[in-house]
Amino acid sequence: ALPMVAVFDTAFHATLPPKAYLYALPHALYTEHQIRRYGFHGTSHQYVSGQAAKHLERPIKQLKLITLHLGNGASACAVLNGQSTDTSMGFTPTAGVAMGTRSGDLDPGLVSYLARTEHMDAKQFDDMVNFKSGLLGVSETSADMRDLLKLEATDSRAADAVALFCYQIKKTIGAYAAALGGLDTLVFSGGIGEKAPAVRARICAGLEFLGIELDAARNERNSDCISTDASRLTVRVIATNEALVIARSVCHVLEISVN
């Protein structure tokens, strides 16, 4: 007799405009099968964007934020005035940037090519792009960024995996800054985002034109704010708390008062 509440981590991305969620496919696939970009990690992006606004002491409805949830699964979100306006994951969590074992975005022509050359069926392809690709696939060593950072000096494939990951995140930041028409704060979260100073530094290197200037000492300490005092925008490390967002959502649905 207990009430059951489901909290979807796609919900935060329900505000995506059609230009962000539609795929350039026959429209019937959307109208009949709801094939579109949904996005994931929504509870994380929602939490850290709210925390970023608190740190800035500004209303979230006046901010342009890019939030990065970087872990074994990884996604980016462009948050405009408190709402998700674009995100890197798509119809499934496989899309977007490269992850621990997920490929991220691919040329769809690979499906037919591998079917012809490797006799790969749909199940095998799905298994490959979800469990055998990403950092693991490129390095052929590990899906764990900590391992790859230790190996990169002597293992070129590990170095390639780290470089690919950082490059794809950097490109996404640039794209989302353009989509937002500017940027107030960049937020790193997730296991890699919160605990890998070297990765954060490589992602931010070359983004000075956006107003990003990292403080090396703060970054190495995993400080809350890792940008310099002179940086035009702040770069923050915020530990995510998806469980808290879920709990608050449940309380809201059940009309339970919560702080």
Side-chain angles (χ1 to χ4, degrees):
L2 289 174
M4 304 294 288
V5 179
V7 179
F8 291 86
D9 72 350
T10 57
F12 183 61
H13 305 300
T15 53
L16 294 181
K19 63 184 179 183
Y21 71 67
L22 286 174
Y23 288 120
L25 294 169
H27 196 66
L29 291 175
Y30 169 64
T31 55
E32 296 176 17
H33 301 285
Q34 291 75 56
I35 294 177
R36 50 159 287 177
R37 180 180 304 280
Y38 287 101
F40 298 86
H41 289 149
T43 49
S44 179
H45 292 298
Q46 180 180 351
Y47 178 78
V48 299
S49 59
Q51 291 298 109
K54 288 182 180 179
H55 287 306
L56 288 169
E57 297 182 341
R58 292 174 57 188
I60 195 169
K61 291 187 176 181
Q62 297 176 7
L63 294 174
K64 298 174 180 178
L65 310 171
I66 294 175
T67 55
L68 304 172
H69 180 103
L70 307 180
N72 188 51
S75 68
C77 184
V79 183
L80 179 63
N81 303 329
Q83 296 185 329
S84 174
T85 190
D86 205 345
T87 191
S88 57
M89 286 179 168
F91 181 70
T92 73
T94 313
V97 299
M99 305 171 223
T101 62
R102 296 176 187 146
S103 65
D105 289 344
L106 293 172
D107 183 336
L110 283 170
V111 177
S112 60
Y113 177 79
L114 292 174
R116 293 195 310 271
T117 61
E118 303 296 324
H119 307 292
M120 188 177 291
D121 61 24
K123 185 178 183 303
Q124 291 170 321
F125 185 85
D126 186 70
D127 182 67
M128 178 187 74
V129 298
N130 278 291
F131 304 109
K132 300 176 182 177
S133 298
L135 297 177
L136 177 63
V138 175
S139 69
E140 294 190 317
T141 304
S142 176
D144 193 315
M145 180 62 75
R146 293 168 295 187
D147 296 336
L148 299 177
L149 288 170
K150 292 176 183 176
L151 291 169
E152 64 175 342
T154 56
D155 186 331
S156 62
R157 291 182 183 177
D160 284 343
V162 175
L164 178 150
F165 180 85
C166 295
Y167 179 64
Q168 289 192 357
I169 299 294
K170 187 197 302 282
K171 283 200 302 182
T172 303
I173 292 169
Y176 285 1
L180 289 167
L183 185 61
D184 294 304
T185 295
L186 175 66
V187 180
F188 286 91
S189 192
I192 297 172
E194 295 169 25
K195 301 175 182 177
V199 173
R200 293 194 300 261
R202 294 181 205 187
I203 289 171
C204 291
L207 294 179
E208 292 80 9
F209 71 98
L210 288 177
I212 292 175
E213 184 180 328
L214 285 195
D215 182 303
R218 291 175 180 174
N219 183 46
E220 196 61 34
R221 293 195 302 268
N222 296 321
S223 299
D224 293 340
C225 178
I226 59 173
S227 49
T228 66
D229 293 337
S231 182
R232 294 205 314 271
L233 60 86
T234 58
V235 182
R236 295 195 171 272
V237 177
I238 299 177
T240 192
N241 194 338
E242 295 167 279
L244 181 59
V245 173
I246 293 169
R248 285 173 173 167
S249 298
V250 171
C251 289
H252 175 73
V253 169
L254 299 181
E255 298 182 341
I256 298 172
S257 298
V258 63
N259 293 327

